[in-house]
Amino acid sequence: MTQTNAMPFTLVLFGATGDLARRRLVPSLYALWCDGALPADWQLVGVSRSARSSDEWRAELAEILEDTPAEDFLAHLSYLTADATDVAALNKLPDTLGSQRCIFYLATRADLYAGITRALGDAGLVSEQSRIVLEKPIGLDYASAAGIEAGVRERFQERQIFRIDHYLGKETVQNLLVLRFANSLFENQWNHRFIDHIQITIAESGSVAGRGVFYEEVGALRDMVQNHLLQLLCMTAMEPPYALDADAVRDEKVKVLRALRPMDTTTIAEQVVRGQYTGGVNGESGYAEDAGVRESTTETFVAMRVAIDNWRWAGVPFYLRTGKRLPARTCEIAVHFRPVPHSIFPQQRASMANRLVFRLQPDEGIQLAFSEKRPGAAMDIRMSELSLNPQTLRRERVPDAYERLLADVIHDNQTLFVRHDELMAAWYWVDPILKEWRESGARPEPYRAGTWGPSAATMLLARDGRLWDEREIDDAPDG
């Protein structure tokens, strides 16, 4: 197997027996190894409180990978049973970690981040070459995020910290940058003069079953809006960076977050909708049953109308939406262009305006909707879609987002990772919504499992004379 020229490294994975490690991280690392993207000299050390030997951990992962060459991959893996915040326990890690290139991946609860980094420092395992990867959500509000960040930054400098948001590693998000900034056709029209509005949807068909304790503490606003949705908003709305450089790109994203129009009590009531799913039409369970609670004010759905106060986006609303137990699992950014100022075709309606859709899941791709003549003698107009993805790409395996991001950590590239000021700017904007919900005592609006959320979410757009792109989403293949 051909190997990359990347420097040797040791990846220490905290939370090694958790769902994220098993489903995404180890399989993604294996895919990189199969592609020859890892150096010859590397190792993965799993750390968790769950008692097991290295052989037992490797056997568990072998069942997931189900591939003959995996035996050679698994030879690079070892396991340590330890409390990650215990300095004495971490001293059992190889003594060489403090002097070699080491990546610490914290696939744990965020409230453990400060304690783990402090223990790593006290154990003498942090060096100039060390890097640390943090999963979201970092904190539950601005104050708790600031506390976690302060603890991590005691031991690691900003250039050593990789705050991961796996949506930024998706192929289509990176293609969004190329489509905008490498094509004058699109960038020249990427502003309020040509765009009517933009919809960003992250819909999940699954419930919170099995994650009730986590979800009761977090909810949809913290879990999805503060990070995933706002990150996709930034990638869509940002100004052209001066270069494809980590700080250049993130400088422009921070500008978007700082330009978000603040929410107050009035605007939150008018422009933010929160919901909680109940039992569905086919006998599906409701949130309280899935979460194992009697009653709850935790939201499983959020929709909002967002404004960006700058010249490019003046007057252009961004509609953000996310929820559990919706009819389909999908993520897309839909850019709705303004209709032609005067149509000479009586059949052409305003709803036939051009639309550019970036679909991130389940089937990644980009489609441009446009009007064309239906074949025949009559001048009959219909909407058609043009795929902007080459057929060759459709036949190739699309790498998992974690593959790209793990490779970027290995190569020390922070472009697709969240910077400290980005994180805090997002929390600063979200905090007033959390505060208003907490102080008002209002309950989320119920919606039936298997529907597109509360009726108030439909009215959020209807008041502006618009509709969500639900038909297009329903027609999407499950991939």
Side-chain angles (χ1 to χ4, degrees):
M1 179 182 297
T2 302
Q3 300 293 337
T4 181
N5 292 325
M7 292 176 58
F9 68 91
T10 297
L11 175 60
V12 180
L13 175 57
F14 295 98
T17 59
D19 188 59
L20 176 64
R22 292 167 57 86
R23 286 193 308 108
R24 307 296 294 272
L25 300 180
V26 173
S28 293
L29 195 66
Y30 177 60
L32 291 173
W33 182 81
C34 290
D35 290 343
L38 301 184
D41 183 11
W42 69 276
Q43 60 177 319
L44 169 62
V45 181
V47 180
S48 180
R49 292 183 179 184
S50 302
R52 52 178 43 78
S53 67
S54 293
D55 287 341
E56 288 171 334
W57 189 50
R58 286 191 287 260
E60 292 173 10
L61 296 175
E63 295 179 3
I64 299 171
L65 300 177
E66 295 180 345
D67 197 354
T68 303
E71 292 185 7
D72 293 336
F73 168 80
L74 293 170
H76 292 265
L77 276 59
S78 61
Y79 182 86
L80 173 66
T81 302
D83 178 347
T85 61
D86 184 350
V87 176
L90 294 184
N91 281 328
K92 298 176 184 178
L93 287 168
D95 294 336
T96 55
L97 289 187
S99 60
Q100 66 180 215
R101 187 162 173 264
C102 187
I103 300 166
F104 301 105
Y105 199 117
L106 275 55
T108 66
R109 302 195 320 266
D111 59 355
L112 298 176
Y113 290 174
I116 294 174
T117 54
R118 189 174 300 113
L120 288 171
D122 292 345
L125 297 174
V126 180
S127 70
E128 286 291 317
Q129 299 182 78
S130 300
R131 299 294 183 265
I132 189 167
V133 184
L134 308 178
E135 279 282 345
K136 67 88 185 172
I138 300 176
L140 297 175
D141 53 22
Y142 186 94
S144 60
I148 293 169
E149 283 283 296
V152 173
R153 286 155 66 91
E154 282 181 7
R155 303 294 184 174
F156 291 88
Q157 300 176 43
E158 181 63 29
R159 62 176 180 80
Q160 297 175 287
I161 303 172
F162 289 73
R163 301 172 191 85
I164 196 167
D165 187 320
H166 72 273
Y167 276 77
L168 298 184
K170 290 183 176 291
E171 192 73 22
T172 304
V173 172
Q174 297 161 58
N175 217 343
L176 187 156
L177 294 180
V178 175
L179 199 75
R180 274 194 63 187
F181 302 135
N183 297 281
S184 60
L185 173 66
F186 291 105
E187 179 56 21
N188 286 342
Q189 299 193 22
W190 212 259
N191 55 64
H192 67 275
R193 291 178 295 169
F194 299 98
I195 293 178
D196 178 75
H197 73 281
I198 293 176
Q199 299 181 21
I200 306 179
T201 294
I202 302 179
E204 300 178 274
S205 57
S207 71
V208 303
R211 302 177 72 224
V213 174
F214 166 80
Y215 213 82
E216 265 296 282
E217 184 179 40
V218 177
L221 186 68
R222 295 181 176 99
D223 188 37
M224 302 298 289
V225 177
Q226 184 273 336
N227 40 77
H228 296 326
L229 278 170
L230 288 187
Q231 283 295 316
L232 295 180
L233 171 68
C234 289
M235 298 294 279
T236 305
M238 72 181 190
E239 295 295 319
Y242 68 82
L244 192 60
D245 168 83
D247 280 330
V249 170
R250 295 185 295 181
D251 284 346
E252 298 305 331
K253 289 164 63 185
V254 171
K255 290 177 184 177
V256 174
L257 291 169
R258 290 174 176 167
L260 290 176
R261 185 176 299 167
M263 294 272 192
D264 57 24
T265 299
T266 301
T267 54
I268 291 170
E270 295 175 349
Q271 299 179 16
V272 181
V273 176
R274 65 171 176 158
Q276 184 185 101
Y277 69 84
T278 61
V281 293
N282 296 317
E284 299 94 339
S285 54
Y287 171 77
E289 182 180 348
D290 291 339
V293 296
R294 177 168 296 180
E295 60 180 35
S296 171
T297 58
T298 300
E299 77 285 354
T300 63
F301 177 97
V302 176
M304 55 178 59
R305 186 185 194 276
V306 176
I308 300 176
D309 289 331
N310 61 22
W311 282 24
R312 182 183 289 267
W313 299 114
V316 177
F318 286 72
Y319 298 101
L320 313 183
R321 174 176 60 163
T322 185
K324 297 278 189 185
R325 294 304 252 141
L326 301 183
R329 171 184 173 269
T330 190
C331 175
E332 67 175 38
I333 302 167
V335 181
H336 289 248
F337 290 88
R338 294 186 182 278
V340 294
H342 172 71
S343 177
I344 63 174
F345 305 104
Q347 307 95 329
Q348 189 176 26
R349 304 180 301 276
S351 61
M352 290 183 169
N354 299 129
R355 185 176 65 253
L356 184 62
V357 178
F358 298 86
R359 186 162 286 148
L360 282 68
Q361 64 184 29
D363 55 326
E364 291 202 49
I366 305 173
Q367 289 81 38
L368 175 64
F370 61 96
S371 297
E372 68 167 0
K373 179 184 176 297
R374 192 186 301 273
M379 187 61 76
D380 191 7
I381 305 297
R382 68 178 180 185
M383 291 298 292
S384 293
E385 284 194 351
L386 172 67
S387 173
L388 301 184
N389 297 78
Q391 288 300 114
T392 53
L393 285 181
R394 287 176 173 262
R395 289 194 293 267
E396 295 177 2
R397 183 185 73 87
V398 178
D400 184 84
Y402 275 100
E403 291 178 42
R404 168 63 188 264
L405 296 175
L406 282 172
D408 281 354
V409 175
I410 293 168
H411 290 278
D412 210 24
N413 180 3
Q414 291 185 310
T415 303
L416 297 177
F417 294 82
V418 179
R419 204 168 59 191
H420 171 74
D421 51 351
E422 279 185 78
L423 172 70
M424 300 316 298
W427 274 123
Y428 184 81
W429 186 79
V430 165
D431 250 19
I433 303 175
L434 292 169
K435 182 174 183 289
E436 174 62 22
W437 287 353
R438 183 172 59 251
E439 293 180 352
S440 70
R443 299 181 60 85
E445 182 180 339
Y447 65 95
R448 300 289 296 273
T451 66
W452 279 108
S455 57
T458 301
M459 292 304 300
L460 185 67
L461 272 71
R463 288 196 298 267
D464 296 339
R466 303 182 177 103
L467 294 172
W468 292 105
D469 288 346
E470 290 167 3
R471 182 186 61 80
E472 288 78 8
I473 292 176
D474 285 335
D475 291 343
D478 291 333

